[in-house]
Amino acid sequence: MIHPLVTQLQFTRSEFVRCFEGVPPEDACRRLESMNCLSWIVGHLAWQEHFFWVQMAQGQNIASGLRQLVGFRQPASTPPWDEMWTLWHAITKAADVYLYGLKPEELNTHLIWEGNPITENVGILLLKNIYHYWFHLGKAHAIRQMLGHTDLPVYVGNMPNVRFAHEG
């Protein structure tokens, strides 16, 4: 069974995708000072998932150079829209290999980076990842409004398969 926090991440990702539906590539790469552009946001979230769930959790690097392009505290950039989405899809697919096997007892364990356990446990990283998406979803909606986009997604999307009681 997939952990409920992973299910929340899946839903959050679906809202992320929904937010960007219909964005023209030329708008996606437009930077409105002092905010980053939409393509940067997609790459930035891909970078976080890559770092947490692919590099640290699985010891793989499938997106070298991504941190320098869109990582935390890196200079602003306007990466190609299609390239960022391609990376995002590849990275989230690779991340799911780890996340789908995550057991409740592993949430309190610590991933290893450069030979040392990191400060936050896996559960905190998962929450940070989810909340990071929502933070940038708000920014992306604001940027799209400033770009003059209309018919933006409203509120939170459909949650058809949510169950709250234990099914034995």
Side-chain angles (χ1 to χ4, degrees), residues 99-144:
L99 293 168
Y100 286 1
L102 194 60
K103 308 268 185 287
E105 59 272 13
E106 293 174 304
L107 294 178
N108 289 311
T109 64
H110 295 259
L111 298 175
I112 305 298
W113 183 245
E114 297 179 337
N116 299 303
I118 63 167
T119 306
E120 289 131 335
N121 64 39
V122 170
I124 296 297
L125 293 178
L126 194 46
L127 289 172
K128 279 186 158 189
N129 194 197
I130 293 166
Y131 300 152
H132 193 197
Y133 268 101
W134 288 108
F135 176 82
H136 284 291
L137 269 161
K139 281 187 166 189
H141 278 286
I143 292 167
R144 291 197 64 192

Side-chain angles (χ1 to χ4, degrees), residues 3 6 10 14 43 57 86-88 93 115-118 120 123 125 127 144 150 156 162-163 168:
H3 192 279
V6 175
Q10 290 174 318
S14 74
T86 298
L87 279 171
W88 185 86
K93 183 178 179 181
N116 299 303
I118 63 167
E120 289 131 335
L125 293 178
L127 289 172
R144 291 197 64 192
T150 57
V156 177
V162 175
R163 302 218 191 299

Side-chain angles (χ1 to χ4, degrees), residues 69-88:
L69 185 61
V70 294
F72 182 63
R73 297 203 179 179
Q74 297 299 312
S77 65
T78 55
W81 183 237
D82 291 340
E83 182 181 324
M84 292 302 99
W85 274 115
T86 298
L87 279 171
W88 185 86

